[in-house]
Structure formats: C-alpha cells, structure tokens
Amino acid sequence: MSIGKNIAHDSSIGHVTGKSIFIDDRAAIQGELQVGVVGAPVAAGRLKQVNTRRAELIPGVVGIFTAKDLHHNQWGTIIKHQPILVEDKIGYMHEPTVVVAAETREALTKALRVIEIECEEGKPVFTIDEAIAKEDFLYEATPFVQGDVEQALKTADHRLKQSFECGGQEHFYLESQATVAIPLENGQMEIHSSSQHPTETQHVVAHALGLPYHYVTCTVKRMGGGFGGKESQAAPFAAMAAMVAAKFNRPARLILSKDDDMQMTGKRHPFKNFYEVGFTKEGMITALKADLYSDAGAYADLSSSIMERAMFHIDSAYYVENVLITGRCCKTNHHSNTAFRGFGGPQGAITMEALIEDIAKVVGKDPAEVRRLNLYGKDVRNRTPYGQIIDHNPLPEMTDRILSESEYARLRSEVDAFNAKKCGKVRGLALSYTKFGIAFTAKFLNQGNALVNVHLDGTVQASTGATEMGQGVNTKIQQVIAHAFGIPPKDVQLMPTSTDKNHNTSPTAASSGSDINSAAALMACDKIKRRLQILLHKFWNGETFDDVKEIELDFEGDLDHIEFIDEKIIDTKTKKELPFKEAITMAYLNRISLGGYAFFKTENLGFDKKKCEGRAFNYFTNGAAVSMVEIDEYTGEMKVLMTRILMDLGRPLNPGIDRGQVTGAFIQGMGWVTHESLVYSDKGVLLSHSPTTYKIPNIQDTPREFVVDFIENNENKQAVHRSKAVGEPPFLLGGAVFCAIKDAIGYRTANNKISSPATNERILMALSE
C-alpha cells in the first residue's frame, strides 16, 4: 500500500546530488543563441526611440528586436492588454522593451548595457492612496452582502473604524524565469519553460508568432520554485525566446539574472483594507464593513481573481452575521503584480486576525478568548459571507487541542510575568487560523486530464497537467498510481508535463494540482484495471482465447472482488491470482489496451458571481498555530521563540511531503509579515532587487521550538483517498507571528497598531509611540 506512506520525493536524490536538470542545465544545442531583455528606464511615459547602434557593433550580437517584430504583442491571463514588449506607453520601471540575441553570454551582457532607450517621462502613480484618489481601478468586484450591516453597526456595543496595510512579497524562487525555444520543421516551435502553466505559455507563444496552437508544444520538466510567480509571467519570456528562434531558425535560450527577474516581474499584491466593525461587550463580532484595495500594478494579470479570493477569505475562521465586503484593484506604475502562494487569501485573512487583536484590546480579553467566541460553528454559525455552508468543521476541536498541547494558559501567564519585569525585552503570544478554500474560483479551471501507459515489464509512465516545482505533486500522483495497480512506487515514472500529451490544462495553482491531477490519473488507471479485471474474470471462469477467438470486453457486472495487491491481481472470492506482469503480457497478447486517458472535473461547484452566493470551494483545509515572540525594545529585533501548528489535511497521501509543505509555507508566511520588505526609489526603481538587499527568512529566523502535528480526519470525500490540499493553506498561519508582535507591542503602548511587514524598524517605531 503506497497511500499514506513517507516515500521520498521523486527528485530528492537528484536535487541533493546536483543531478536534477533545470532549464539552464540543458546542454546547448548546436547553433543556440543567447537572449536577453532590456527594460524601460522610467516608470511611466511614452517610448520615443531605441538606439541600438553601439550594441550592433559588438562582435557576436546577431539581432535586436522590439515590439514591431512580434506578430501579436498583447497578452494577459484574464484581460489581454499587457504588451510583451513596450510598444508606446510605458507601464512600469524595467518593463521589457528590447530583446537582444547574441552568440555568447559575454556578447549579450555587453550589448544589454549599451542599448539606449529614449522616453518621454510621465507622472507615475505608486501608492494605493493615489490610485483611490484618482479612482483609477483595473477591476471592481461585485460586493458580498449578507444581513443588514448598517443597522448592526448602529446597535453594536463597540465600533472600530480603521485601516490595515500589508505589503507585497518577492517570490524568490531559486530558478529565475527561464526558457529555451527550439524551432522544428514546418514552422513548429518547441518550448521548454520554467512555467506553472504550460498551456498558457503555449498560447502566448503561438499568438506572438502568429501560429496555430498545434504548431507549438510547451514542455515543463520541473521548476526551481514557482510559488505563483510562474503561473502567468513565464509566458511572455517564452514568447521573446521563441521570436528569436523563429527569426533565425536557431534554438534560443533566455535566462534572466536574479536582478533582472526581480525588477521585471510582479510580486504579491500589497493591500490596503479599510473596515468598520461592530462587536459586543464580550467581543463577538456582529457586523463587518470592509473595503479592500490592492496594488495591481500597471496591468490586470490575475489581479481580479486574487481580489476575489481576498474577499472570500477576509472572514478568516470567524462567523460574521452582517457583512458588506467590496474589492477594487488599483492601477499603479509598479510591475504587474501576480499570483503568489495563497493568491489573495493571506491579505484578507491577516486583516481579520489583526482586527481580532484590536477587539480583544478594547474588551480587555485575551485574544484567544475572542477568537474562540467568534469561531465558525459546526451546525450553527457556519454560513460564510458568500453563502457557502461549512460542513465537517473541525476548528472547534482543533482549538481545544492546540490550546491544550501548546499550554497556552501557562504561556500567557509566563508572558505576563516576563513583561512585568521591564527588562528591555517584551514578549507576545498569539493564536491564529487558516480556513482555506480549495478550488479555483474560476469554475472552468477546475479540470484536468491524465495519460497512463502500462509497459510489458509491469512499469508505468504517466503524464498529467501538473507541473513539479519542488512541492512533490509528482510523487503524490506516483503513489496514487502505484496504489491503484498494487505495484511499488519505483515502478511508476511521472513524465515531463507537455501540451502534446495533456491539452488545455489548468495551471498548477490554487493548491489543487494534486487533487485534480491525481483524480484524473486514478480514473485513467481504473479504465486499465477494468479491462484487466474482465480479462482475468473470463480467464478464471474457463473462457479461452486464441488466434481465432478474441476476448470481448463486454462484462457489465461488479468486479471489485478482483483486487490489485502486492504486484498481483487476486480474486478475493476464489483466491485465484496472477502476477501483475503476467496479466499485462496476457492483455497485450490479446490486443487489450494497456493505456488509459481520463478527464476529471471537480463536481458540485456552483458560485454565482452576479449574486456572490453559492459553493465557491470544494472543501476547506484548516489549521491553527500558536506563536510566541520576543522583541528587543532598544533595537526592535524580533525572535520567534515558539510555534506550534496543528493541521487538518484529511488523510495525507504522503505525510512527510505534507509536513515539508506545512513548515515551508509557515516560514514563507512568517517572512511576508516580518522581514520581507519591498523598497522602491521615488522614481519607482526596485531597490531590494537581489539576495543582498531583500531579506527572506534564514535558519536563525525559524522558531526556536517548532512543532507540527496533524489531526485525524477521514471525512473529506471530495478528494482522492480523502486527502486534503496543503500547498497554500499553511501560509496563512504566518499571521500568528504578526499577531504575537501586535500582542507584544500592546504590553508597552496603548495602541498596538502596526502595518505588515512588521520589520524591526516598524516594531521599534511602534514601541516608541
């Protein structure tokens, strides 16, 4: 049995030995060109001309291209209005403008430095407040309305009216945007890309070159990290490389440097959320009026869907009877912000978690008490602001367990005693939650397909639309297939994701890559298994097959008693059995297909976007975290002393991989709310554009005491083997650290207000107020 076992990540040995092949590890093909990009020198304005004379004189430079060299220059996942290369209007600093092709990287580097771009500079917009004042929005969402907010606010015992800001975040994947384009015969193009969405990359390349889709194949072996940053924004860079490959009929390689990648690509959306909340003397929330604003950047990208998910998750894990939630995506002159792990969910949830801290301060209660009071119930108080009923809600029991196992009451007493000493350091303690909806909010994306081929030696090759970015999706699918056939996981090989084998696939995103693609793979396996069951049922019941008489696969009855166990196929009724490999050979000799293709769509989704009501998600992945921090009052330095996490992952397909996802997501979430600060100049230049200027968490930043545990939950029938998605939900638990910081500040000041990220500087300033 492979399900629920800790088998190794299928690329683990390759990663630690350095043998895993990434895009830039691919050996150069004869005649291959090196491709680079020059960005706009201003954040807003118009392109006047490009001077390439000096670059053209550099030996080895073979071509310089601008927007006019593309057949089609517009792209966009939702709204196709973003140029691949600047044609006229400039949207943001370092927006791709010129593409250079050279024989060597040395020649390319020299050429990129001497290209001159002349612009007419305009007046940029850099803040959400500026965009609000101009009413310049790329998208306005349909509001979520439930109950009577205005009346509930009027009658509330207490009201708070304030705003909450959270910053953006750099994806900081180890492998920058990378692609190799290979021209084939008859005008076809083969693309190898570090992309989470091979189908979109295929489509953008085809449009850019003026080709039909069937002339372009996009293949993804693996990515060196993605985190959402390669869901949409890998595609235009692939188009640039493909343009060069098509012009010269030579392979072309485009690998961005870390600096160029960070300057040219979008980030997590910064948000500024305005809200008014009403609550009782005990701290129970009775009304929430929230207006969410995101910094979308210059173009739409995925901003509308990200805003909607923020609206879906501003309730965090708490029931609110009366709500009015609006959302607007602000147009600014920053890089076009994009998908990032959590996809807007963190920006919504952390607003509510921070708000709970403020409510607790007003009513004079421990924030954990206020959280418990407002938590979604099991049979009552379980309707979301968008009308979905939360079923099988484990949060109340999870709360009891994590408060007990973390010894929260004892920790609170210790924090109180420590802070009373006033020794130059102050501690804070917080509990927070994740209740993350699993499904793409765009219903049509909840689909996938799989191709499974069984070979005569009993081994299996499988292809799905899932892309492997280090998260272990291929390993989970490998386990599902191995379990289905009763064979060892080592006998199953997941092939590179490619649009010629798996068409019209959705991006590997929304934490649903494992759910959708595992389900499709299992369906494909079941088709093959059914043929083998019929074959053996007839064989074991005396039917003979020869060169004259062929088997007919026309049996309609139940054959579940013929099982695939331990590399054998066994009739549990008659106790007859046959080795799996022999059964495969028998099927082949009788001309029975040993390949299976299947299509899967997530059932029972039905959210009405006009009414903003319905079943938006397939199910929820839940979690809770308790964190304790210590702050130096003289420097603002913060350390996480303890974090305890309790997750509901259903029946994990691979507990070890899931544990890695939980710990990694939490640390990344913690980084977003503490260290990771995007810094721009007054001209819109990203100053924190390298590992030396952008701070991600390191080993010293991890909690000194760090415990991750799972609950037992067998109720999730909406996913394969009753598992639950894990990629994004634990990210939101990083909010526990932010709330612990707010808690600590509240011991020293009357106002514990602080924006995210709570950097050391911001903490020090908050303590000084």
Side-chain angles (χ1 to χ4, degrees):
M1 181 175 179
S2 300
I3 297 303
K5 303 296 183 183
N6 288 331
I7 74 166
H9 189 293
D10 70 336
S11 298
S12 57
I13 294 175
H15 287 348
V16 299
T17 59
K19 294 181 180 179
S20 294
I21 304 298
F22 296 89
I23 297 293
D24 206 25
D25 295 321
R26 294 171 55 90
I29 304 172
Q30 185 175 2
E32 185 175 280
L33 294 170
Q34 301 294 325
V35 181
V37 188
V38 181
V42 298
R46 295 195 176 276
L47 175 64
K48 294 180 68 176
Q49 66 176 19
V50 178
N51 187 343
T52 62
R53 183 177 56 82
R54 292 172 62 195
E56 291 168 353
L57 296 175
I58 295 173
V61 173
V62 299
I64 299 173
F65 306 97
T66 59
K68 69 179 187 299
D69 295 295
L70 290 162
H71 179 271
H72 185 79
N73 191 40
Q74 300 293 310
W75 77 282
T77 303
I78 299 174
I79 304 171
K80 292 177 171 52
H81 72 138
Q82 181 168 354
I84 295 172
L85 295 172
V86 170
E87 193 166 354
D88 176 29
K89 191 176 180 181
I90 297 169
Y92 62 93
M93 181 68 72
H94 296 117
E95 183 175 5
T97 306
V98 182
V99 171
V100 180
E103 299 283 0
T104 65
R105 290 194 180 183
E106 291 75 17
L108 176 65
T109 301
K110 291 178 182 177
L112 294 174
R113 291 173 179 164
V114 298
I115 288 177
E116 299 171 358
I117 299 175
E118 186 179 341
C119 305
E120 178 185 325
E121 191 168 1
K123 181 174 175 54
V125 172
F126 290 137
T127 69
I128 289 174
D129 287 336
E130 289 177 276
I132 292 173
K134 292 180 63 179
E135 296 187 344
D136 198 355
F137 306 123
L138 288 168
Y139 178 71
E140 295 189 48
T142 304
F144 291 180
V145 182
Q146 185 169 279
D148 188 338
V149 172
E150 296 300 337
Q151 181 60 29
L153 285 171
K154 287 179 183 177
T155 58
D157 294 334
H158 297 285
R159 293 169 68 172
L160 282 176
K161 187 175 183 179
Q162 52 197 35
S163 64
F164 179 79
E165 292 184 70
C166 51
Q169 186 178 21
E170 166 60 38
H171 299 87
F172 218 89
Y173 31 68
L174 294 179
E175 179 193 30
S176 296
Q177 299 285 358
T179 188
V180 174
I182 304 169
L184 305 176
E185 60 187 35
N186 301 324
Q188 297 176 70
M189 188 66 64
E190 179 180 314
I191 304 294
H192 294 266
S193 176
S194 184
S195 169
Q196 293 174 237
H197 198 347
T199 292
E200 181 174 25
T201 299
Q202 173 198 25
H203 292 178
V204 172
V205 168
H207 289 150
L209 301 186
L211 298 174
Y213 292 162
H214 73 302
Y215 269 45
V216 180
T217 299
C218 179
T219 299
V220 178
K221 170 64 177 174
R222 62 167 58 89
M223 288 162 275
F227 307 117
K230 296 173 181 176
E231 180 175 342
S232 62
Q233 299 201 359
F237 295 105
M240 297 172 203
M243 173 183 63
V244 171
K247 295 287 185 184
F248 294 102
N249 197 32
R250 294 170 63 177
R253 180 181 303 236
L254 190 160
I255 312 292
L256 289 186
S257 68
K258 179 55 70 176
D259 296 82
D260 284 344
D261 188 298
M262 292 180 72
Q263 290 174 323
M264 291 181 178
T265 62
K267 320 300 176 194
R268 180 185 296 280
H269 289 67
F271 269 63
K272 186 168 187 178
N273 300 330
F274 300 87
Y275 58 84
E276 187 171 5
V277 62
F279 50 99
T280 67
K281 295 174 183 177
E282 291 74 29
M284 180 176 285
I285 300 172
T286 56
L288 175 66
K289 185 177 181 181
D291 300 311
L292 282 60
Y293 294 88
S294 71
D295 181 345
Y299 306 102
D301 199 271
L302 291 158
S303 296
S304 57
S305 293
I306 289 165
M307 173 54 73
E308 287 167 355
R309 187 168 279 267
M311 295 166 67
F312 280 123
H313 286 79
I314 195 169
D315 61 333
S316 188
Y318 312 107
Y319 173 77
V320 184
E321 185 175 358
N322 303 285
V323 296
L324 172 59
I325 303 167
T326 68
R328 296 175 180 85
C329 303
C330 298
K331 186 178 188 299
T332 69
N333 292 103
H334 285 141
H335 20 228
S336 185
N337 288 316
T338 189
F340 200 126
R341 195 176 199 168
F343 204 77
Q347 293 98 311
I350 195 174
T351 303
M352 177 61 84
E353 295 292 351
L355 173 56
I356 292 281
E357 295 289 320
D358 296 338
I359 291 173
K361 199 166 182 65
V362 171
V363 300
K365 284 188 172 183
D366 188 299
E369 291 183 52
V370 178
R371 287 184 162 87
R372 191 67 171 85
L373 183 66
N374 286 285
L375 199 63
Y376 274 111
K378 296 182 74 68
D379 301 310
V380 297
R381 293 172 53 86
N382 62 344
R383 178 185 169 93
T384 67
Y386 43 92
Q388 181 164 349
I389 300 299
I390 302 174
D391 50 11
H392 305 297
N393 177 19
L395 287 170
E397 292 88 351
M398 292 178 72
T399 301
D400 294 340
R401 179 172 163 182
I402 197 166
L403 290 176
S404 173
E405 293 181 351
S406 67
E407 299 184 80
Y408 184 93
R410 177 184 62 81
L411 291 176
R412 177 58 72 188
S413 296
E414 291 181 0
V415 167
D416 288 341
F418 181 89
N419 291 340
K421 296 177 183 177
K422 296 188 177 180
C423 60
K425 294 184 178 181
V426 61
R427 291 181 177 177
L429 180 67
L431 163 71
S432 79
Y433 297 97
T434 181
K435 176 192 65 64
F436 196 84
I438 304 300
F440 288 96
T441 52
K443 183 178 178 180
F444 72 90
L445 291 175
N446 295 285
Q447 60 173 297
N449 56 73
L451 176 65
V452 175
N453 293 319
V454 181
H455 297 285
L456 289 179
D457 63 353
T459 61
V460 179
Q461 288 180 323
S463 305
T464 76
T467 57
E468 178 61 62
M469 62 193 91
Q471 82 279 36
V473 66
N474 280 350
T475 306
K476 288 187 174 183
I477 299 171
Q478 177 188 34
Q479 288 178 268
V480 169
I481 294 172
H483 180 76
F485 288 124
I487 61 178
K490 66 179 179 60
D491 287 349
V492 180
Q493 179 65 54
L494 267 293
M495 306 307 292
T497 309
S498 185
T499 56
D500 61 353
K501 297 194 292 289
N502 299 99
H503 59 285
N504 304 329
T505 56
S506 298
T508 303
S511 296
S512 58
S514 178
D515 283 7
I516 290 173
N517 293 284
S518 291
L522 183 56
M523 292 171 67
C525 292
D526 286 344
K527 291 183 177 183
I528 301 169
K529 288 171 64 179
R530 178 68 179 179
R531 298 180 204 127
L532 293 173
Q533 286 171 324
I534 294 173
L535 169 68
L536 293 183
H537 173 75
K538 292 191 173 187
F539 173 68
W540 284 330
N541 281 277
E543 190 167 335
T544 59
F545 326 110
D546 53 34
D547 290 341
V548 177
K549 182 182 179 183
E550 294 194 48
I551 182 172
E552 297 293 336
L553 299 177
D554 56 357
F555 188 83
E556 297 294 335
D558 179 15
L559 293 176
D560 287 347
H561 57 91
I562 298 178
E563 299 182 5
F564 293 68
I565 304 171
D566 295 333
E567 300 182 74
K568 299 175 184 176
I569 304 178
I570 302 171
D571 188 328
T572 58
K573 289 183 178 179
T574 65
K575 307 304 179 185
K576 292 179 180 179
E577 62 179 52
L578 193 68
F580 181 70
K581 292 180 183 178
E582 291 186 26
I584 294 303
T585 300
M586 181 187 292
Y588 171 72
L589 293 175
N590 284 279
R591 299 195 297 181
I592 293 173
S593 172
L594 293 169
Y597 167 85
F599 172 83
F600 172 81
K601 62 179 180 180
T602 307
E603 300 288 356
N604 302 317
L605 295 176
F607 182 74
D608 187 330
K609 285 200 173 187
K610 292 181 180 178
K611 295 181 179 178
C612 285
E613 185 172 282
R615 188 177 175 83
F617 301 111
N618 193 26
Y619 61 87
F620 296 92
T621 293
N622 306 287
V626 172
S627 285
M628 182 166 66
V629 303
E630 182 176 279
I631 295 170
D632 187 312
E633 296 185 64
Y634 300 107
T635 65
E637 181 185 9
M638 185 277 300
K639 295 180 180 178
V640 183
L641 300 182
M642 182 279 294
T643 291
R644 191 175 193 103
I645 293 173
L646 186 61
M647 287 297 301
D648 158 34
L649 299 180
R651 291 178 180 172
L653 297 175
N654 186 315
I657 283 178
D658 284 356
R659 188 174 299 275
Q661 286 291 289
V662 171
T663 55
F666 173 81
I667 295 300
Q668 193 174 40
M670 180 191 75
W672 171 55
V673 299
T674 56
H675 307 300
E676 299 188 41
S677 180
L678 296 166
V679 181
Y680 298 86
S681 75
D682 57 2
K683 293 288 188 180
V685 177
L686 179 66
L687 301 177
S688 51
H689 60 77
S690 72
T692 59
T693 53
Y694 185 80
K695 173 75 173 74
I696 63 171
N698 60 30
I699 193 65
Q700 285 89 4
D701 298 314
T702 58
R704 272 56 177 170
E705 179 186 337
F706 197 11
V707 179
V708 174
D709 205 355
F710 303 150
I711 70 167
E712 183 178 335
N713 182 358
N714 301 317
E715 299 299 324
N716 188 44
K717 299 177 183 179
Q718 286 88 3
V720 173
H721 295 298
R722 305 196 180 195
S723 60
K724 283 194 173 186
V726 66
E728 293 170 290
F731 184 100
L732 281 66
L733 294 176
V737 175
F738 180 82
C739 290
I741 292 170
K742 278 179 67 71
D743 183 65
I745 293 169
Y747 275 93
R748 293 291 184 258
T749 67
N751 180 3
N752 62 349
K753 186 174 175 64
I754 187 171
S755 298
S756 177
T759 60
N760 294 349
E761 294 85 353
R762 283 183 174 169
I763 291 172
L764 188 60
M765 291 173 67
L767 287 170
S768 301
E769 289 183 1

